[in-house]
Amino acid sequence: MSTSTAPGGVRDIDLLLALFERPAAQRVYTESVTQAEHAMQCARLAEAAHADDALIAAALLHDIGHLLTIEETEMATPPGTDRHHEAVGAAYLGRWFHSEVTRPVALHVAAKRYLCGTDARYGANLSPASVHSLQLQGGPMSRQQCNAFRSARGWVSAIELRCWDDKAKRPGATTLDFERYRPLLVGLLSRRR
Ligand SMILES: [Fe+2]
């Protein structure tokens, strides 16, 4: 789509969807899928669970912080550094979307730490990549931290997102149809304004 005559909101979505065409999105996210495949699988899982539009958008965009930080910071930070992609992504998305989109994004790492602190089976089933990043992100939450997490707005949505996130790592062909989500994203933009 040409962006020269498009309304501002549509241009914003062009910018956003273009991130999934950057080299970073084609890089391997886990042992089995690329960043773009992971995002698409996560959104599809949210849709299948009949999540609302804001949560589907959060699922699609939850790791956008990785796409924003990989290229810019990997040369500047040593390997194994936590780049706080959840905070970077939520802040970036906050210029366009309301908190029902950004909050689950901001909390999806904390949700993993919460689930590890409350459910031993959850931790045992994490992918090796998630186990590695968990250590960088602070490890399982303590009981006190879990209590505090449950008082955060949007924590339940963050748990839902986290569970799709963990499943969205299935090898095999994934149709990368990001345009499918354009109307949903545009609709959420209009609610922000
Ligand atoms: Fe993810």
Side-chain angles (χ1 to χ4, degrees):
M1 170 184 289
S2 166
T3 59
S4 59
T5 58
V10 174
R11 278 201 302 275
D12 292 339
I13 298 304
D14 286 340
L15 262 177
L16 205 49
L17 295 182
L19 288 174
F20 289 105
E21 294 172 7
R22 290 168 69 164
Q26 316 314 320
R27 290 173 58 161
V28 172
Y29 167 65
T30 68
E31 305 78 6
S32 50
V33 293
T34 65
Q35 291 279 351
E37 290 168 336
H38 175 63
M40 184 58 55
Q41 288 186 19
C42 200
R44 289 289 170 86
L45 287 166
E47 266 193 290
H50 306 291
D52 64 22
D53 286 357
L55 197 46
I56 292 171
L60 181 73
L61 303 170
H62 75 279
D63 276 343
I64 209 90
H66 278 315
L67 303 185
L68 295 167
T69 60
I70 285 174
E71 292 164 358
E72 284 80 359
T73 63
E74 73 177 0
M75 301 300 287
T77 55
T81 301
D82 180 13
R83 301 186 185 105
H84 303 283
H85 75 283
E86 72 281 16
V88 171
Y92 180 77
L93 295 172
R95 71 182 76 178
W96 297 313
F97 299 110
H98 54 72
S99 60
E100 287 176 31
V101 176
T102 60
R103 220 173 254 132
V105 173
L107 293 177
H108 81 276
V109 169
K112 177 173 71 172
R113 296 184 57 222
Y114 172 85
L115 287 165
C116 287
T118 55
D119 185 349
R121 288 171 304 174
Y122 174 84
N125 288 319
L126 281 177
S127 70
S130 285
V131 170
H132 174 70
S133 59
L134 174 68
Q135 299 314 315
L136 299 176
Q137 292 157 344
M141 283 185 177
S142 66
R143 182 177 297 184
Q144 192 175 16
Q145 288 171 325
C146 287
N147 290 338
F149 180 73
R150 280 194 299 270
S151 68
R153 275 186 71 190
W155 75 276
V156 173
S157 294
I159 295 289
E160 289 183 282
L161 170 53
R162 185 73 229 179
C163 292
W164 300 321
D165 185 0
D166 293 325
K167 290 178 183 163
K169 300 173 181 179
R170 299 181 69 165
T174 302
T175 305
L176 298 179
D177 183 14
F178 288 96
E179 286 299 317
R180 169 191 175 89
Y181 295 101
R182 178 184 292 273
L184 178 150
L185 295 171
V186 170
L188 290 166
L189 282 177
S190 65
R191 275 203 261 160
R192 174 74 174 85
R193 291 173 175 170

